[in-house]
Amino acid sequence: MTSALLSITVATYTAVALATSPEVRSAEDAWKAADSALKGQAAAMLLPTLAFTYTEYPYGHSPLDSYRWKRGDYALRHGQAVTVANWNLFNSFEDVQKTRNAVAARRAAASALKAARQDRAYAAISAFYDLNSKKQLYAVAEQNLSDQKKQFDQSRDLYEHGMKSLADLLKSETDWLSSQLRLASANAERRKALADFNILVDRSPGAEAELDVDLQPGATGLPLLDADLARALEIRPEVVRARDQLARAEVDAQRAIKGLLPDVKVDASWTRTRYADFPGAGSSIPNPNRQVGLTVSLPLGFNGFTQGWALAAARADLRRARTAVDAAERAVRADIYGAHVALERVLTSYAIAVRKEEIAARALELVGRQFQQGAADAIRMNQAQADLLNARVERTLALHDIFINRAQYRRAVGDPLW
């Protein structure tokens, strides 16, 4: 997006807001890090390792040449090269548990990324419709100022012809001045909404934007709450992330239990040594040598108490993770019910506001004719104009709230907003 006037839809604006969001970029990097960590752990679990060592003693007593004194004796044939290939076949399920932990970490990062996108997309949708509503309210305030000016001009003309009192003239002028204040306030609100709109996509705060908005309210039926609640408990990022953290806590508890037990490792290795070219260099060990080794040992740093307290801490973290899942599910239920109630309220409010505007427009038309004929005073005229102004404001706000509340409900369910 540039700073020039633009005609932009809510979908395009949301896409740009996501592309420029530092929160989304940070979450994407966290997911990439978790994905790479999982791939690295999977490779460590499944693939053999290769090590190469070259040793030479160009100065001093050389162990490779029966500890003879060397002084600046450099040559590849005077060094020893060792190549070792090793493949761990079993290590008390340590690699399996690490991999499970990495899988849960990647899922948690994916859920955090989805949550960041949902949050920024909802912020973009809200900013888009808020700006459009503030623009329309500014237009309503402009129309009200024009109407109040006409009323003041009529009052002055009627007063000059003796058909209105000075009180009516002063009342009309006061209402006209009030409409000017209302317009100034509406303009300030519009500029504030414009700044919020621009900042989300890294534009100059004061740059104007032309919005392409389809304000058809669409279907007025409410979504099925029970079905959406069941789906939300499966796909909401917060719940998924809490369950992944629970899975990681379960793995940590299993590893803590394993910390009380002896370690069992099975390794297959292959070693080949190229000995230095000195008389007597070499070994009676087969070259290359191959073996499968079995090792049973106590865990490193075993004293019983350390491992016992580690198990107690892991179990406490496991209980905390289970509680976090319950809290996340409870929050999702509250979000969905709250969003459903808000959507129902705004749909009802919009229908009422449309009818209220129709009635207020008709009433103003009748009072306006009476005012011109001198049968209605400025107070009745002002009240009719205020009723129409309020009805227009309520309809404008309710219409935009429909789109925002629908996005809020989709966010509560967990459906993507982008």
Side-chain angles (χ1 to χ4, degrees):
M1 297 178 65
T2 64
S3 60
L5 288 176
L6 297 173
S7 180
I8 182 171
T9 65
V10 64
T12 305
Y13 177 72
T14 301
V16 175
L18 290 177
T20 58
S21 169
E23 295 87 354
V24 173
R25 290 198 302 269
S26 176
E28 286 176 344
D29 289 335
W31 180 86
K32 290 176 181 178
D35 182 63
S36 297
L38 172 59
K39 292 174 180 176
Q41 174 55 37
M45 178 179 67
L46 298 175
L47 300 178
T49 59
L50 181 66
F52 176 79
T53 304
Y54 176 80
T55 306
E56 184 176 349
Y57 300 91
Y59 186 87
H61 295 96
S62 173
L64 303 178
D65 190 13
S66 302
Y67 288 92
R68 291 186 175 87
W69 180 263
K70 303 290 182 183
R71 184 187 298 275
D73 185 7
Y74 296 95
L76 286 177
R77 60 188 180 85
H78 290 170
Q80 177 174 289
V82 180
T83 303
V84 179
N86 188 77
W87 193 4
N88 177 255
L89 303 178
F90 180 75
N91 62 353
S92 298
F93 302 105
E94 180 70 16
D95 280 337
V96 174
Q97 291 172 333
K98 287 182 178 179
T99 303
R100 286 179 57 195
N101 217 334
V103 169
R106 186 177 69 169
R107 286 200 305 261
S111 299
L113 174 57
K114 183 179 179 181
R117 285 174 174 167
Q118 286 284 76
D119 179 70
R120 293 297 86 198
Y122 178 73
I125 292 171
S126 299
F128 182 90
Y129 285 110
D130 183 59
L131 174 59
N132 192 69
S133 69
K134 295 301 189 294
K135 283 188 170 187
Q136 291 204 356
L137 291 177
Y138 179 75
V140 169
E142 282 187 317
Q143 182 62 47
N144 178 255
L145 175 62
S146 176
D147 293 341
Q148 293 288 358
K149 180 61 168 61
K150 291 179 181 178
Q151 179 186 339
F152 172 68
D153 291 339
Q154 290 176 353
S155 297
R156 183 169 54 187
D157 181 67
L158 293 173
Y159 171 74
E160 292 174 351
H161 290 81
M163 299 177 63
K164 290 293 180 184
S165 66
L166 178 60
D168 284 337
L169 177 61
L170 295 176
K171 173 62 176 171
S172 297
E173 186 174 6
T174 301
D175 294 339
W176 177 40
L177 294 174
S178 296
S179 66
Q180 295 179 36
L181 293 175
R182 190 178 298 111
L183 180 63
S185 177
N187 186 46
E189 291 293 327
R190 182 192 64 84
R191 293 175 61 191
K192 174 63 170 59
L194 180 63
D196 294 339
F197 175 91
N198 287 329
I199 289 172
L200 274 180
V201 290
D202 292 337
R203 299 177 72 218
S204 173
E208 292 292 342
E210 195 69 31
L211 305 183
D212 182 6
V213 187
D214 181 7
L215 288 179
Q216 298 299 320
T220 57
L222 290 172
L224 299 177
L225 186 59
D226 292 338
D228 288 339
L229 177 59
R231 189 168 82 258
L233 292 176
E234 296 298 325
I235 66 175
R236 269 287 291 267
E238 295 85 348
V239 177
V240 175
R241 184 167 63 248
R243 289 172 179 166
D244 289 331
Q245 291 172 345
L246 173 60
R248 296 180 68 182
E250 290 173 344
V251 172
D252 290 340
Q254 293 171 1
R255 296 180 67 183
I257 294 174
K258 192 176 74 66
L260 294 169
L261 304 175
D263 285 333
V264 179
K265 295 184 178 181
V266 180
D267 290 280
S269 65
W270 177 93
T271 305
R272 185 184 185 281
T273 304
R274 197 217 70 177
Y275 296 102
D277 188 12
F278 294 115
S283 173
S284 60
I285 299 174
N287 187 32
N289 65 81
R290 301 171 292 273
Q291 63 269 139
V292 174
L294 172 64
T295 304
V296 180
S297 63
L298 284 175
L300 184 66
F302 182 84
N303 59 25
F305 292 98
T306 299
Q307 288 72 25
W309 288 117
L311 176 59
R315 286 177 172 172
D317 286 338
L318 179 59
R319 292 192 297 270
R320 179 194 56 77
R322 286 172 177 161
T323 302
V325 172
D326 294 338
E329 292 179 349
R330 179 180 295 181
V332 166
R333 293 188 183 95
D335 284 349
I336 290 183
Y337 278 102
H340 192 272
V341 170
L343 182 58
E344 181 180 20
R345 177 191 60 79
V346 73
L347 288 172
T348 302
S349 299
Y350 176 71
I352 295 173
V354 169
R355 180 56 181 159
K356 184 177 178 181
E357 183 180 7
E358 294 173 352
I359 295 173
R362 178 59 177 162
L364 177 60
E365 181 183 354
L366 295 174
V367 174
R369 286 201 294 265
Q370 294 174 356
F371 183 80
Q372 292 175 355
Q373 297 169 0
D377 58 14
I379 296 178
R380 284 188 60 194
M381 185 65 180
N382 174 260
Q383 185 61 53
Q385 289 178 331
D387 289 343
L388 179 59
L389 175 64
N390 292 334
R392 285 176 175 172
V393 169
E394 290 173 357
R395 180 188 61 79
T396 299
L397 292 176
L399 179 60
H400 288 82
D401 284 346
I402 288 177
F403 295 94
I404 295 176
N405 285 23
R406 279 177 180 159
Q408 181 182 11
Y409 184 80
R410 290 176 58 200
R411 181 190 185 193
V413 173
D415 294 332
L417 296 176
W418 60 91

